[in-house]
């Protein structure tokens, strides 16, 4: 199975710019190159919204919103499944009155351009609580050609509200029990600390003239990548059961973003991890501080 993760830096509220940027980044992909493309959480809107009023202009319908339309178009073009995170608005009726409900959601689209599922983030980060409702439950479903596919959005992999016991492993226990063999996670995972007011020089310089500052920043970026991926792997703990019969294996796919919004530093490190009873194997990963398109063949 060929899986692609798109890691980029969206600009808050600049939806069309972000769509155009993502489209350019995957323009070199052709039909047959990949089976699945995963984008980050709230990929085209940005993430740090402070209230319902702040995010209201960017809320999308689950059928016709710009994120869903982009996913449909790219799925058909690439003949691949596509997942994109976005802020969703649902209109429900209660006691003959219409009510709005806001969710941090993702769409998963088939190669024929059909929305196979819309998943709403079950565990909310405190930034989500400014505007979103909790999704009702974790989700996994059978999908032709992919197997049993599970879905996740960022905070879902953490203990509930950071208050549940660490070893409860709600997300990974669910997917182990569901026998999910492929778990697709759209992320806006951040450092948990405020970003520095003065950004360090970006370690994108190549060649012999790279300064010591560049090298130090590169080392810091590698450390951040290692710590981030290690944590995600640890949160898949229930899969590492040597006594399980039969043993279960899954591919965990994480598409994260980079950049800074409102003092929040996003840490990239998009990756594909194979989890088995003997432990995790990071098949490949992107840096914590660079845009890129990660493509992994899980069968090699």
């Amino acid at each position: 199975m060929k899986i692609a993760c798109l890691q980029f830096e969206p600009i808050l509220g600049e939806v069309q710019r972000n769509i155009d940027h993502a489209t350019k980044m995957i323009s070199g992909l052709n039909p047959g190159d990949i089976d699945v493309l995963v984008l980050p959480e709230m990929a085209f809107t940005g993430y740090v919204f402070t209230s319902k009023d702040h995010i209201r202009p960017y809320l999308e319908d689950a059928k016709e919103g710009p994120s869903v339309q982009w996913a449909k178009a790219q799925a058909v073009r690439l003949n691949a499944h596509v997942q994109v995170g976005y802020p969703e608005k649902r209109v429900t009726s209660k006691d003959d009155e219409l009510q709005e409900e806001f969710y941090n959601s993702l769409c998963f689209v088939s190669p024929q351009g059909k929305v196979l599922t819309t998943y709403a983030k079950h565990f909310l980060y405190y930034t989500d609580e400014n505007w979103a409702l909790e999704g009702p439950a974790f989700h996994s479903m059978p999908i032709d050609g992919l197997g049993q596919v599970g879905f996740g959005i960022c905070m879902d992999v953490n203990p509930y509200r950071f208050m549940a016991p660490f070893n409860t492993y709600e997300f990974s226990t669910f997917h182990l029990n569901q026998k999910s063999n492929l778990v697709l996670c759209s992320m806006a995972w951040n450092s948990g600390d405020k970003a520095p007011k003065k950004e360090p020089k970006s370690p994108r310089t190549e060649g012999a003239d790279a300064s010591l500052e560049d090298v130090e920043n590169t080392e810091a970026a590698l450390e951040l990548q290692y710590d981030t991926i290690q944590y995600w792997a640890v949160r898949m703990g229930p899969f590492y059961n040597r006594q399980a019969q039969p043993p279960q294996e899954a591919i965990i796919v994480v598409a994260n973003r980079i950049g800074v919004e409102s003092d929040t530093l996003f840490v990239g490190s998009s990756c594909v991890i194979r989890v088995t009873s003997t432990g995790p194997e990071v098949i490949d990963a992107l840096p914590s501080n660079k845009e890129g398109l990660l493509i992994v063949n899980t069968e090699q």
Side-chain angles (χ1 to χ4, degrees):
M1 187 185 307
K2 296 178 182 177
I3 299 171
C5 299
L6 184 63
Q7 176 171 296
F8 68 106
E9 181 176 356
I11 297 176
L12 188 70
E14 296 191 17
V15 175
Q16 191 58 53
R17 175 268 176 199
N18 298 331
I19 287 175
D20 292 343
H21 185 52
T23 302
K24 183 177 180 180
M25 287 185 69
I26 65 166
S27 62
L29 290 176
N30 295 307
D33 285 350
I34 60 171
D35 300 301
V36 181
L37 171 64
V38 183
L39 268 66
E41 175 181 10
M42 295 174 65
F44 299 141
T45 59
Y47 179 69
V48 183
F49 291 92
T50 58
S51 67
K52 290 183 177 181
D53 287 339
H54 189 194
I55 201 169
R56 187 178 296 276
Y58 307 103
L59 294 166
E60 303 185 20
D61 174 82
K63 295 181 179 179
E64 304 298 333
S67 297
V68 177
Q69 291 300 310
W70 185 91
K72 289 179 178 180
Q74 295 302 325
V76 171
R77 183 182 78 83
L78 296 171
N79 190 32
H81 294 84
V82 176
Q83 175 169 305
V84 181
Y86 67 98
E88 180 195 2
K89 180 175 73 173
R90 302 178 187 177
V91 179
T92 61
S93 178
K94 184 177 181 181
D95 299 329
D96 295 326
E97 292 186 3
L98 296 180
Q99 294 183 339
E100 292 182 330
E101 296 179 349
F102 302 165
Y103 295 93
N104 183 337
S105 297
L106 61 78
C107 64
F108 190 72
V109 178
S110 75
Q112 293 75 40
K114 178 182 178 181
V115 177
L116 297 178
T117 192
T118 299
Y119 168 71
K121 190 175 186 178
H122 186 36
F123 287 2
L124 300 184
Y125 192 55
Y126 70 86
T127 309
D128 304 310
E129 293 175 344
N130 290 331
W131 61 272
L133 296 174
E134 283 188 1
F138 296 130
H139 185 45
S140 180
M141 62 186 288
I143 295 176
D144 289 345
L146 301 180
Q148 186 73 20
V149 181
F151 304 93
I153 303 177
C154 207
M155 180 69 187
D156 282 337
V157 307
N158 278 314
Y160 180 64
R161 303 192 77 180
F162 297 116
M163 294 188 292
F166 189 89
N167 61 359
T168 302
Y169 296 115
E170 302 98 322
F171 180 76
S172 50
T173 297
F174 172 85
H175 288 294
L176 182 72
N177 292 337
Q178 291 290 311
K179 295 180 169 56
S180 301
N181 61 278
L182 180 64
V183 181
L184 307 175
C185 299
S186 295
M187 304 284 210
W189 195 276
N190 63 70
S191 66
D193 301 312
K194 285 191 174 183
K197 291 296 183 182
K198 183 179 180 181
E199 287 298 294
K201 186 177 180 181
S202 175
R204 302 184 188 185
T205 304
E206 298 180 358
D209 59 346
S211 68
L212 178 60
E213 182 183 14
D214 291 325
V215 174
E216 291 172 346
N217 287 334
T218 300
E219 290 174 353
L222 287 171
E223 182 178 359
L224 181 57
Q225 179 204 48
Y226 176 84
D227 290 346
T228 301
I229 295 174
Q230 182 186 49
Y231 181 82
W232 292 334
V234 167
R235 292 301 298 164
M236 299 301 119
F239 282 93
Y240 314 138
N241 181 0
R242 293 177 182 268
Q243 282 72 48
Q245 293 297 328
Q248 288 184 229
E249 177 177 321
I251 298 294
I252 312 299
V253 180
V254 178
N256 195 26
R257 56 160 294 180
I258 64 168
V260 175
E261 283 179 14
S262 302
D263 294 336
T264 300
L265 175 66
F266 298 93
V267 296
S269 310
S270 299
C271 59
V272 178
I273 306 170
R274 178 181 284 109
V275 294
T276 70
S277 59
T278 59
E281 173 199 355
V282 179
I283 301 175
D284 205 355
L286 291 174
S288 63
N289 60 344
K290 294 183 181 180
E291 295 186 325
L293 179 65
L294 177 67
I295 301 177
V296 168
N297 187 341
T298 62
E299 297 173 3
Q300 290 183 342

